[in-house]
PDB file of all heavy atoms in Angstrom:
ATOM      1  N   ILE A 355     -74.822  -5.205 -33.970  1.00  0.00           N
ATOM      2  CA  ILE A 355     -73.585  -4.633 -34.504  1.00  0.00           C
ATOM      3  C   ILE A 355     -73.610  -3.121 -34.273  1.00  0.00           C
ATOM      4  O   ILE A 355     -74.508  -2.448 -34.750  1.00  0.00           O
ATOM      5  CB  ILE A 355     -73.437  -4.988 -35.995  1.00  0.00           C
ATOM      6  CG1 ILE A 355     -73.245  -6.510 -36.128  1.00  0.00           C
ATOM      7  CG2 ILE A 355     -72.268  -4.237 -36.622  1.00  0.00           C
ATOM      8  CD1 ILE A 355     -73.423  -7.047 -37.515  1.00  0.00           C
ATOM      9  N   PRO A 356     -72.645  -2.600 -33.489  1.00  0.00           N
ATOM     10  CA  PRO A 356     -72.671  -1.172 -33.154  1.00  0.00           C
ATOM     11  C   PRO A 356     -72.627  -0.293 -34.397  1.00  0.00           C
ATOM     12  O   PRO A 356     -71.914  -0.586 -35.348  1.00  0.00           O
ATOM     13  CB  PRO A 356     -71.383  -0.963 -32.333  1.00  0.00           C
ATOM     14  CG  PRO A 356     -70.875  -2.312 -32.003  1.00  0.00           C
ATOM     15  CD  PRO A 356     -71.468  -3.283 -32.955  1.00  0.00           C
ATOM     16  N   GLY A 357     -73.430   0.767 -34.380  1.00  0.00           N
ATOM     17  CA  GLY A 357     -73.370   1.761 -35.453  1.00  0.00           C
ATOM     18  C   GLY A 357     -73.924   1.296 -36.789  1.00  0.00           C
ATOM     19  O   GLY A 357     -73.762   1.984 -37.788  1.00  0.00           O
ATOM     20  N   LEU A 358     -74.578   0.135 -36.818  1.00  0.00           N
ATOM     21  CA  LEU A 358     -75.116  -0.330 -38.100  1.00  0.00           C
ATOM     22  C   LEU A 358     -76.587   0.068 -38.209  1.00  0.00           C
ATOM     23  O   LEU A 358     -77.418  -0.393 -37.444  1.00  0.00           O
ATOM     24  CB  LEU A 358     -74.981  -1.857 -38.217  1.00  0.00           C
ATOM     25  CG  LEU A 358     -75.720  -2.515 -39.389  1.00  0.00           C
ATOM     26  CD1 LEU A 358     -75.258  -1.958 -40.717  1.00  0.00           C
ATOM     27  CD2 LEU A 358     -75.543  -4.017 -39.376  1.00  0.00           C
ATOM     28  N   ASP A 359     -76.888   0.962 -39.150  1.00  0.00           N
ATOM     29  CA  ASP A 359     -78.280   1.304 -39.413  1.00  0.00           C
ATOM     30  C   ASP A 359     -78.658   0.626 -40.724  1.00  0.00           C
ATOM     31  O   ASP A 359     -78.422   1.154 -41.810  1.00  0.00           O
ATOM     32  CB  ASP A 359     -78.438   2.827 -39.511  1.00  0.00           C
ATOM     33  CG  ASP A 359     -79.903   3.217 -39.746  1.00  0.00           C
ATOM     34  OD1 ASP A 359     -80.702   2.337 -40.141  1.00  0.00           O
ATOM     35  OD2 ASP A 359     -80.237   4.392 -39.537  1.00  0.00           O
ATOM     36  N   LEU A 360     -79.223  -0.567 -40.605  1.00  0.00           N
ATOM     37  CA  LEU A 360     -79.457  -1.378 -41.793  1.00  0.00           C
ATOM     38  C   LEU A 360     -80.517  -0.763 -42.700  1.00  0.00           C
ATOM     39  O   LEU A 360     -80.403  -0.818 -43.922  1.00  0.00           O
ATOM     40  CB  LEU A 360     -79.859  -2.802 -41.383  1.00  0.00           C
ATOM     41  CG  LEU A 360     -79.682  -3.831 -42.481  1.00  0.00           C
ATOM     42  CD1 LEU A 360     -78.231  -3.976 -42.893  1.00  0.00           C
ATOM     43  CD2 LEU A 360     -80.214  -5.183 -42.059  1.00  0.00           C
ATOM     44  N   GLY A 361     -81.520  -0.146 -42.074  1.00  0.00           N
ATOM     45  CA  GLY A 361     -82.570   0.495 -42.871  1.00  0.00           C
ATOM     46  C   GLY A 361     -81.963   1.524 -43.821  1.00  0.00           C
ATOM     47  O   GLY A 361     -82.239   1.545 -45.018  1.00  0.00           O
ATOM     48  N   GLU A 362     -81.102   2.352 -43.245  1.00  0.00           N
ATOM     49  CA  GLU A 362     -80.442   3.409 -44.022  1.00  0.00           C
ATOM     50  C   GLU A 362     -79.539   2.791 -45.103  1.00  0.00           C
ATOM     51  O   GLU A 362     -79.471   3.270 -46.230  1.00  0.00           O
ATOM     52  CB  GLU A 362     -79.593   4.233 -43.048  1.00  0.00           C
ATOM     53  CG  GLU A 362     -79.142   5.570 -43.559  1.00  0.00           C
ATOM     54  CD  GLU A 362     -78.287   6.279 -42.506  1.00  0.00           C
ATOM     55  OE1 GLU A 362     -78.760   6.471 -41.365  1.00  0.00           O
ATOM     56  OE2 GLU A 362     -77.135   6.603 -42.832  1.00  0.00           O
ATOM     57  N   PHE A 363     -78.869   1.699 -44.720  1.00  0.00           N
ATOM     58  CA  PHE A 363     -77.964   1.031 -45.658  1.00  0.00           C
ATOM     59  C   PHE A 363     -78.742   0.486 -46.860  1.00  0.00           C
ATOM     60  O   PHE A 363     -78.330   0.630 -48.008  1.00  0.00           O
ATOM     61  CB  PHE A 363     -77.207  -0.098 -44.948  1.00  0.00           C
ATOM     62  CG  PHE A 363     -76.174  -0.753 -45.807  1.00  0.00           C
ATOM     63  CD1 PHE A 363     -74.924  -0.177 -45.983  1.00  0.00           C
ATOM     64  CD2 PHE A 363     -76.439  -1.952 -46.472  1.00  0.00           C
ATOM     65  CE1 PHE A 363     -73.963  -0.768 -46.797  1.00  0.00           C
ATOM     66  CE2 PHE A 363     -75.493  -2.547 -47.284  1.00  0.00           C
ATOM     67  CZ  PHE A 363     -74.247  -1.950 -47.439  1.00  0.00           C
ATOM     68  N   LEU A 364     -79.910  -0.130 -46.583  1.00  0.00           N
ATOM     69  CA  LEU A 364     -80.716  -0.706 -47.659  1.00  0.00           C
ATOM     70  C   LEU A 364     -81.245   0.396 -48.587  1.00  0.00           C
ATOM     71  O   LEU A 364     -81.367   0.217 -49.795  1.00  0.00           O
ATOM     72  CB  LEU A 364     -81.872  -1.532 -47.084  1.00  0.00           C
ATOM     73  CG  LEU A 364     -81.438  -2.793 -46.310  1.00  0.00           C
ATOM     74  CD1 LEU A 364     -82.644  -3.501 -45.707  1.00  0.00           C
ATOM     75  CD2 LEU A 364     -80.671  -3.762 -47.203  1.00  0.00           C
ATOM     76  N   GLN A 365     -81.549   1.549 -47.989  1.00  0.00           N
ATOM     77  CA  GLN A 365     -81.993   2.702 -48.773  1.00  0.00           C
ATOM     78  C   GLN A 365     -80.903   3.117 -49.768  1.00  0.00           C
ATOM     79  O   GLN A 365     -81.167   3.349 -50.942  1.00  0.00           O
ATOM     80  CB  GLN A 365     -82.235   3.869 -47.807  1.00  0.00           C
ATOM     81  CG  GLN A 365     -83.161   4.910 -48.375  1.00  0.00           C
ATOM     82  CD  GLN A 365     -84.502   4.836 -47.656  1.00  0.00           C
ATOM     83  OE1 GLN A 365     -84.545   4.627 -46.452  1.00  0.00           O
ATOM     84  NE2 GLN A 365     -85.581   4.976 -48.385  1.00  0.00           N
ATOM     85  N   ALA A 366     -79.667   3.175 -49.244  1.00  0.00           N
ATOM     86  CA  ALA A 366     -78.534   3.559 -50.096  1.00  0.00           C
ATOM     87  C   ALA A 366     -78.353   2.536 -51.212  1.00  0.00           C
ATOM     88  O   ALA A 366     -78.045   2.889 -52.359  1.00  0.00           O
ATOM     89  CB  ALA A 366     -77.262   3.649 -49.256  1.00  0.00           C
ATOM     90  N   LEU A 367     -78.567   1.253 -50.886  1.00  0.00           N
ATOM     91  CA  LEU A 367     -78.443   0.193 -51.891  1.00  0.00           C
ATOM     92  C   LEU A 367     -79.456   0.384 -53.006  1.00  0.00           C
ATOM     93  O   LEU A 367     -79.163   0.179 -54.178  1.00  0.00           O
ATOM     94  CB  LEU A 367     -78.695  -1.177 -51.245  1.00  0.00           C
ATOM     95  CG  LEU A 367     -77.495  -1.962 -50.748  1.00  0.00           C
ATOM     96  CD1 LEU A 367     -77.962  -3.297 -50.193  1.00  0.00           C
ATOM     97  CD2 LEU A 367     -76.470  -2.185 -51.853  1.00  0.00           C
ATOM     98  N   GLN A 368     -80.675   0.769 -52.606  1.00  0.00           N
ATOM     99  CA  GLN A 368     -81.744   0.903 -53.612  1.00  0.00           C
ATOM    100  C   GLN A 368     -81.458   2.019 -54.590  1.00  0.00           C
ATOM    101  O   GLN A 368     -81.909   1.985 -55.725  1.00  0.00           O
ATOM    102  CB  GLN A 368     -83.089   1.122 -52.924  1.00  0.00           C
ATOM    103  CG  GLN A 368     -83.818  -0.203 -52.797  1.00  0.00           C
ATOM    104  CD  GLN A 368     -85.202  -0.035 -52.234  1.00  0.00           C
ATOM    105  OE1 GLN A 368     -85.450   0.855 -51.442  1.00  0.00           O
ATOM    106  NE2 GLN A 368     -86.100  -0.904 -52.624  1.00  0.00           N
ATOM    107  N   GLY A 369     -80.672   2.991 -54.126  1.00  0.00           N
ATOM    108  CA  GLY A 369     -80.337   4.100 -55.008  1.00  0.00           C
ATOM    109  C   GLY A 369     -79.344   3.723 -56.099  1.00  0.00           C
ATOM    110  O   GLY A 369     -79.099   4.497 -57.010  1.00  0.00           O
ATOM    111  N   LEU A 370     -78.731   2.537 -55.991  1.00  0.00           N
ATOM    112  CA  LEU A 370     -77.714   2.149 -56.985  1.00  0.00           C
ATOM    113  C   LEU A 370     -78.392   1.589 -58.230  1.00  0.00           C
ATOM    114  O   LEU A 370     -79.303   0.786 -58.147  1.00  0.00           O
ATOM    115  CB  LEU A 370     -76.794   1.066 -56.403  1.00  0.00           C
ATOM    116  CG  LEU A 370     -76.078   1.414 -55.100  1.00  0.00           C
ATOM    117  CD1 LEU A 370     -75.276   0.228 -54.616  1.00  0.00           C
ATOM    118  CD2 LEU A 370     -75.172   2.613 -55.270  1.00  0.00           C
ATOM    119  N   GLY A 371     -77.925   2.004 -59.380  1.00  0.00           N
ATOM    120  CA  GLY A 371     -78.499   1.477 -60.617  1.00  0.00           C
ATOM    121  C   GLY A 371     -78.030   0.055 -60.866  1.00  0.00           C
ATOM    122  O   GLY A 371     -76.994  -0.356 -60.344  1.00  0.00           O
TER     123      GLY A 371
END
Side-chain angles (χ1 to χ4, degrees):
I355 294 166
L358 170 59
D359 182 343
L360 199 63
E362 196 181 304
F363 185 81
L364 294 177
Q365 202 108 39
L367 266 182
Q368 264 185 329
L370 304 177

